Amino acid sequence: TKPINATRPGENGVADLMFIEGRNDTKTPFYVHVDVATKLIIGHALKDKTYGSVLHAIEFIDDQHKLWRRKLEQLTFDRESAIVVMQEDIEAKGIKLTLKAAGQKVGLAEVTIRLIREKARATKAGIRAMYGYVPPNQFNVDLCLDTISVLNRTMRVGCSATPYELFTGDKVDQNRDFRCRWGELVIVKKPKGIASDLRTTGEWAMVVRRSMNHTGVLKVYLIGTRRYAYRLKFVRATVPEWVITAMNSIGDRTIGFEDDNDGDLCTLLPILGPNRSEE
């Protein structure tokens, strides 16, 4: 079939849904969008495949374009039932929707999804070889989001810059974005308390997602309290055996946040990079 072409960021985008194994082996729908001109990838986890969830994902993608003063002009999708029924709503946002013929797939989106899966599998295998534990499935969505961030900051063949740089015009901060690995076991600093007491100031944690937006903030899993949290500072040390044992015994239990009232702060952090007016 005729390839989809674009000469500027936002001119043409392709999208498809992939499914990620989560807690209790449930399948989480995951929306994958690829900018044709720059090959930049934007991912967004869905609650389900309903009309509202998919439309919210498209609005999220559109907002990410606006964050960097881009305009999503055209979107190519296969004939997902949820997409077909919302064609008028999508085009009301100024986005021209192109649906593939029945039985056809969007090649660039399919290849990108395969690339995300292969990179994520390799990352998990590397963690198992390095530390001796297997990250449980409830970390898979964060793994895919982290993988997308890495792919966006990796030079492609025949390109003069990374997809992130081509789309945003911003430079990649290698020292801050890649200062640790996904799944690495580190000691993170506890929130500041009374400086004169004798309590420890650090705790063991697993790096769950790296916020590659020039902040250096890490989403981590606190092994001692079994909660998610956000930390900036960390140090490396020899990993004790009890930490490996604790990671291998997580199972399918639900993991909440250190302060559940805060929700998932990553929804407040820009996916592509910092908003200069909010820095």
Side-chain angles (χ1 to χ4, degrees):
T1 59
K2 186 178 180 181
I4 302 172
N5 296 314
T7 58
R8 61 182 183 276
E11 179 184 0
N12 212 332
V14 299
D16 203 354
L17 296 180
M18 65 182 289
F19 293 88
I20 302 173
E21 298 79 7
R23 192 170 65 89
N24 296 321
D25 293 327
T26 56
K27 301 285 188 176
T28 300
F30 191 82
Y31 188 99
V32 177
H33 176 96
V34 186
D35 180 69
V36 175
T38 64
K39 303 302 184 290
L40 180 116
I41 311 167
I42 306 176
H44 186 67
L46 308 178
K47 293 182 179 179
D48 47 46
K49 284 183 62 178
T50 61
Y51 177 96
S53 293
V54 178
L55 183 60
H56 181 268
I58 295 174
E59 290 173 343
F60 173 81
I61 302 300
D62 191 34
D63 288 341
Q64 292 298 306
H65 282 70
K66 293 175 181 176
L67 180 68
W68 289 99
R69 298 176 295 279
R70 306 295 188 187
K71 176 68 177 74
L72 178 57
E73 301 173 18
Q74 183 171 332
L75 177 63
T76 302
F77 217 103
D78 60 13
R79 288 190 174 271
E80 290 278 350
S81 57
I83 296 295
V84 174
V85 298
M86 65 177 62
Q87 183 168 0
E88 292 184 359
D89 290 329
I90 294 173
E91 294 185 345
K93 299 180 181 296
I95 304 171
K96 180 182 178 182
L97 179 64
T98 301
L99 296 174
K100 302 294 284 186
Q104 288 187 346
K105 295 292 185 180
V106 184
L108 178 58
E110 293 286 331
V111 170
T112 301
I113 287 174
R114 190 181 311 123
L115 183 62
I116 293 170
R117 287 190 180 279
E118 290 174 353
K119 175 68 174 175
R121 291 192 189 107
T123 300
K124 292 188 77 170
I127 292 300
R128 177 167 50 188
M130 182 177 296
Y131 292 104
Y133 81 92
V134 180
N137 286 342
Q138 53 260 60
F139 297 148
N140 282 351
V141 170
D142 283 305
L143 171 58
C144 288
L145 289 170
D146 188 271
T147 298
I148 288 172
S149 294
V150 173
L151 291 173
N152 285 338
R153 289 156 179 80
T154 303
M155 193 77 72
R156 307 295 177 89
V157 176
C159 295
S160 59
T162 65
Y164 173 83
E165 292 170 334
L166 292 172
F167 188 91
T168 66
D170 196 13
K171 292 294 184 182
V172 174
D173 191 340
Q174 298 282 354
N175 292 333
R176 187 171 287 274
D177 290 345
F178 295 102
R179 62 197 182 113
C180 62
R181 299 183 180 91
W182 185 91
E184 188 172 355
L185 299 174
V186 296
I187 299 176
V188 296
K189 187 176 181 180
K190 290 183 177 180
K192 188 175 181 179
I194 302 175
S196 60
D197 62 23
L198 298 179
R199 291 178 296 179
T200 58
T201 59
E203 53 190 330
W204 281 100
M206 168 196 165
V207 177
V208 175
R209 196 196 311 173
R210 296 166 290 184
S211 300
M212 297 188 183
N213 54 10
H214 299 284
T215 64
V217 173
L218 303 174
K219 179 181 179 181
V220 298
Y221 170 71
L222 302 175
I223 298 172
T225 59
R226 299 176 180 177
R227 289 287 187 270
Y228 290 125
Y230 294 91
R231 296 289 187 269
L232 178 60
K233 297 181 179 181
F234 70 90
V235 295
R236 293 181 173 90
T238 302
V239 182
E241 188 63 33
W242 73 264
V243 171
I244 304 298
T245 302
M247 290 303 302
N248 280 321
S249 62
I250 293 177
D252 289 326
R253 63 168 59 92
T254 302
I255 303 174
F257 276 82
E258 187 177 44
D259 184 352
D260 287 332
N261 294 327
D262 288 345
D264 189 346
L265 293 182
C266 275
T267 60
L268 305 178
L269 294 173
I271 298 298
L272 301 181
N275 184 338
R276 301 303 183 190
S277 62
E278 296 177 359
E279 228 179 3

